[in-house]
Amino acid sequence: ERAKGGAGPSRERVGRRRARYDGVGWGEELFLVCGNLLDDGNSGSESTPRGRFLCKTMNDASGADLSILNSGSFRSGIAPGWATLGTLYDMMPFQNDLVTFSMTGGDIVDFFHGMPPRRTNAFPQFHGVTVHAWDRGDGLPPGIAGVLDRNGKPLDPGRIYTVAVNSFMAEGGDGYSFGLAGKRNRGDLMALLVARLRNVESADLERFRENDALVVHSTREEAQRAFTE
């Protein structure tokens, strides 16, 4: 990621990465994208369909309860049409592994209370929980009312959850710091994503249109009411 490649991947690294997938075919068609759902460009300011889609894929590939990606992981979006291996690499050009580890529900809630500011590369994209928050002003991280699990219940502070991130974040990139209890390296992130994304039905993408990750309300009262309903 950027910790290893500065502002972007070197030409030599791009060549090595392309060579790694020569046997698959750089232009292999993986799944069909209808409309501009994955062609968003606001990853550093809000939860986006593209971020939720990729984090859900990380959950599926690793069995994690929650996956998180720094917004700086992304470059281009995915335009309508067939998404290919080259398309995915253009979107996520940095070489990373998929890393999983354990966090308690209490630690996850604390993580979101301390999330990085909006409009930065560090701002998190995630899937697996719903965070109800309120807007605290331009550039500031949102205020957090609470975090719900996949069943719409508050996270159990003492329960152990599995979290997945890229190796850049696991190594402290963009200022992230995790305890990494029970850390496991699951292998090359792109290879795992490709394996999960082959033959994805285009209709499956529509579920990511609805923001079920970071829901930012206008006021603190609205956020707290939504969290407790």
Side-chain angles (χ1 to χ4, degrees), residues 26-215:
W26 201 246
E28 179 191 358
E29 296 177 340
L30 299 176
F31 59 94
L32 183 62
V33 179
C34 298
N36 62 357
L37 185 63
L38 302 182
D39 199 21
D40 53 71
N42 298 312
S43 294
S45 298
E46 59 192 52
S47 174
T48 67
R50 176 177 51 169
R52 296 191 291 272
F53 167 64
L54 288 169
C55 287
K56 171 62 164 58
T57 305
M58 288 170 60
N59 281 345
D60 292 343
S62 65
D65 299 297
L66 166 66
S67 290
I68 309 169
L69 281 174
N70 58 310
S71 291
S73 298
F74 307 112
R75 287 301 180 257
S76 63
I78 303 179
W82 280 99
T84 66
L85 184 64
T87 304
L88 293 183
Y89 180 76
D90 287 341
M91 180 176 60
M92 298 179 69
F94 305 108
Q95 185 170 347
N96 275 287
D97 288 340
L98 177 62
V99 177
T100 60
F101 51 91
S102 300
M103 291 180 73
T104 66
D107 286 341
I108 292 173
V109 173
D110 288 344
F111 164 80
F112 283 111
H113 275 286
M115 76 165 58
R118 301 166 82 175
R119 304 184 187 280
T120 66
N121 283 337
F123 189 75
Q125 300 291 316
F126 58 92
H127 191 274
V129 299
T130 298
V131 177
H132 285 284
W134 70 92
D135 190 352
R136 296 201 301 151
D138 191 32
L140 294 173
I144 305 301
V147 184
L148 302 175
D149 65 17
R150 295 179 184 180
N151 298 315
K153 303 296 183 182
L155 291 187
D156 181 341
R159 178 183 165 184
I160 301 298
Y161 297 85
T162 302
V163 180
V165 299
N166 61 27
S167 52
F168 171 74
M169 297 172 66
E171 293 166 6
D174 272 345
Y176 280 94
S177 177
F178 299 103
L180 302 180
K183 175 184 173 183
R184 288 186 59 188
N185 188 315
R186 303 281 183 152
D188 184 86
L189 175 59
M190 183 63 73
L192 291 167
L193 291 177
V194 169
R196 297 294 305 188
L197 293 176
R198 280 196 180 95
N199 302 315
V200 166
E201 294 290 339
S202 58
D204 290 348
L205 301 180
E206 284 299 312
R207 61 165 294 183
F208 300 100
R209 187 178 300 278
E210 181 180 355
N211 183 359
D212 59 354
L214 178 62
V215 184

